Amino acid sequence: MTTAELHAKLEEVDPAMAERLHPNDRRKIERSLRVWHETGARRSDAHLRQQASARQPPRYRRCVFLWVDCELDALDHRLDSRIEDMLARGLLEEVRTIRDAVKASAGASGEGAAAPDFTRGVMQAIGVRELWECCRSDAVATEEALTAMRCHTKRYVRVQLRWIRNRLLRRTPLHRFDTADVHSERDWQEKVVAPALAAVESCTCTASLLRNLDDVGDGGTVPCPASVQLVPLVREAHNNDLAAWRKYTCEACHGLRLNGAHEWEIHLKSRRHRKSLKHTEEQRRRLEREQKQEEQELKSRETAAAPGSTTEHQKDQGAKESAAPV
């Protein structure tokens, strides 16, 4: 079945989830349909239960969340270095092993040389799809494959950061450790390990920490070492309620579909949308000029063809003069 047919089927069995998912997100559409076929329950119902539980305080009150973070520029540089290190430690050989195992499994099941399914299990791991074609016997990782791997890794990291800000920070404050200036083992011990231990000790000694999240409030004070940055609990957020979720279509951007009000608001401020609006306005003005020009030409032709018009009178007068005897 095509992705459009699968989405249409999901609209029949789970309209709320079909409205939430993008029509081209085949993997999540298949997952929602699989849940319905295997359990008889709609995935949207489970999602609503998860949302209800997410509004509750954490299960374990006396806990400390430690967030090791840095600015995106520094993080991207470290991700590039991490990929190079993974390649040096045998990433290509690991992907080649996975490829051989998949081929052997397909041959044993009689499926032959079927296209690999990168949507399940270890095949979803970043690096497998990108390096798949580089795993022939004498092949090496191409720059195109490495560029794709870097791009997908950085994209996934940004998804994780959004999850921290949009999900975890709505339930509990975090202790954030900025590692932008950490370049050695000594820096790590001084700027991360020691403050983290101090934060944990502070929580252990002060049982009221995170016992009642209402005491924290919107950026309220909690026991915390001076060397640790406490990211406060976020109370306000964009509406992520499944029942209130809807899709938006931007006609100016050639029918672009966007999921939820948050994506829609971001799109309205984007460079792409502004450029599309400018192009649409230019087209509208051009059509107005062409229409106005056509109307003027039509009016001129009608005036010229009207009986008794100056042009007709001049034609008649010229004909009489040419017919007069000399």
Side-chain angles (χ1 to χ4, degrees), residues 114-236:
D117 184 4
F118 294 107
T119 63
R120 305 187 68 178
V122 71
M123 301 290 284
Q124 300 177 80
I126 296 176
V128 175
R129 178 195 291 267
E130 294 81 1
L131 299 177
W132 191 260
E133 296 301 326
C134 302
C135 290
R136 295 184 295 274
S137 58
D138 299 327
V140 295
T142 63
E143 185 59 33
E144 181 181 359
L146 294 179
T147 300
M149 187 175 174
R150 295 188 191 104
C151 178
H152 296 161
T153 300
K154 294 171 184 177
R155 183 186 303 167
Y156 183 62
V157 165
R158 283 155 175 77
V159 171
Q160 292 177 320
L161 291 174
R162 286 197 298 269
W163 185 89
I164 291 174
R165 296 188 181 101
N166 297 337
R167 298 291 187 88
L168 191 56
L169 277 176
R170 273 139 181 79
R171 302 185 64 188
T172 181
L174 304 179
H175 296 281
R176 180 181 180 272
F177 305 93
D178 189 355
T179 62
D181 297 329
V182 174
H183 304 291
S184 64
E185 179 65 25
R186 181 177 179 179
D187 291 340
W188 176 262
Q189 292 292 332
E190 292 180 355
K191 298 180 180 181
V192 178
V193 176
L197 291 175
V200 174
E201 183 179 358
S202 175
C203 175
T204 304
C205 297
T206 310
S208 61
L209 179 64
L210 298 182
R211 176 173 295 175
N212 189 342
L213 290 179
D214 292 334
D215 294 339
V216 178
D218 297 329
T221 59
V222 295
C224 179
S227 59
V228 179
Q229 177 189 357
L230 181 68
V231 183
L233 181 70
V234 177
R235 294 296 190 185
E236 298 296 330

Side-chain angles (χ1 to χ4, degrees), residues 232-286:
L233 181 70
V234 177
R235 294 296 190 185
E236 298 296 330
H238 57 271
N239 190 357
N240 196 37
D241 189 357
L242 183 65
W245 194 275
R246 55 165 294 195
K247 285 185 174 67
Y248 295 81
T249 302
C250 183
E251 299 298 340
C253 297
H254 308 288
L256 179 67
R257 300 290 296 274
L258 299 122
N259 274 6
H262 185 58
E263 283 190 10
W264 175 247
E265 292 170 1
I266 292 176
H267 173 70
L268 292 179
K269 301 175 183 177
S270 67
R271 182 172 178 268
R272 173 182 179 179
H273 181 68
R274 295 196 303 269
K275 188 175 180 180
S276 297
L277 288 179
K278 182 180 178 180
H279 180 68
T280 302
E281 180 64 18
E282 290 175 352
Q283 284 186 325
R284 185 187 65 81
R285 291 178 179 178
R286 186 175 66 253

Side-chain angles (χ1 to χ4, degrees), residues 72-92:
L72 275 179
D73 290 341
L75 183 57
D76 288 342
H77 177 72
R78 291 175 181 177
L79 292 173
D80 291 339
S81 300
R82 177 172 176 261
I83 291 175
E84 296 297 332
D85 183 59
M86 292 169 64
L87 286 169
R89 295 170 61 182
L91 176 61
L92 191 59

